[in-house]
Amino acid sequence: MTRARQVGMSLIELMISLLLSSFLILGILQLFINSNSTDKANSALARLQENGRIALDLLKQDLRRTNYQGCAMPTVTSRANSSSTFPLDAIGAPSADDTPTDDESHEGNGTDNDKLVVRYARPVTMRATNIINASSVTFITSNNISFTAGDRYEFILTNCDEVAIFTGIASARSSNPDATTNSTMPDRYTITSLQGLDAGAPPSLSGFPTGLGSQFLTIGENNFLVQPDPSNVDAQGNGIPTLYKNGEPLIAGVDNFQVLYGIESGGVTRWVNADNLDDNDRRSVSRLQISLVMSSETEVADQVNAQALAIANIGANTSLPAVADRKLRRVFNSVIDVRNRP
């Protein structure tokens, strides 16, 4: 009986097949790696752009309130001896101090971060019910605002024609005894030890009516600067640079923050930085130019950064040098009209 001859792959053929299969698998693997890297980069870029948009929107909301003083026109100047004088003090004065506790604006050296301070009257539900000139003010409020007994606060009182700004120490909260208003403003406080400019005598409160004849509001202050956030660190344990508002983290991943101040005259806007902002210019600032350099959380770029970034600055400091890492970076610019300005 004749046996059937078995036919199969030789060892050389098998090795060639394995080699070709390896090349194919490596190609598929490389395609997957490239696709995964692209997905990570696209996701990081989307988050970066979203964070930049949110940061500008939040800044616009706050900065457009600058110099708001209730029903009074933006051109009305605060009474003599006021603790703050609007419209001048609505824009923080230039300061050499860039710490969070300093309450004035600051121009960073070269391309270093700027700091911006603005002030405005908070549109809260309050009403003065008794005014004893240079001595005390009793007022009622809604229950969504409160004051700590013994703390000093800054207030603005206006009859729509004149404005007085002063500080006072709040009493403990009591109940509003007026049956006609206590449903909407159930709380009552009295502020005493009134002070004005440089903690001196307060402005005169003579002529300001109580009740609906005037507006009684608190002064708000927004302080913006960039600093590392110790509660949000990178792989090396370093705090991620973050835009802070009044000492609280607002938006993470802000590498650089620049501010220019616009003074309009004859339809032309002249831009200056904080170092060149004198008192006459501070009174006339009608626009703010904001520049934010945002970075991704992780290094997802294919190559190390080599491109400088254009920022809103003046002179030789309009370009931010490239950072030698593989993070994505984008510049977000916006010109914000400050509505409540002369």
Side-chain angles (χ1 to χ4, degrees), residues 184-205:
T184 56
M185 290 176 281
D187 299 333
R188 182 174 67 170
Y189 297 88
T190 297
I191 56 170
T192 55
S193 302
L194 306 187
Q195 292 180 350
L197 181 65
D198 296 330
S204 171
L205 303 184

Side-chain angles (χ1 to χ4, degrees), residues 79-83 133-134 163-166 195-197 201-206:
R79 279 188 176 183
N81 293 333
S82 286
S83 54
N133 190 36
V163 170
I165 303 176
F166 52 93
Q195 292 180 350
L197 181 65
S204 171
L205 303 184
S206 175

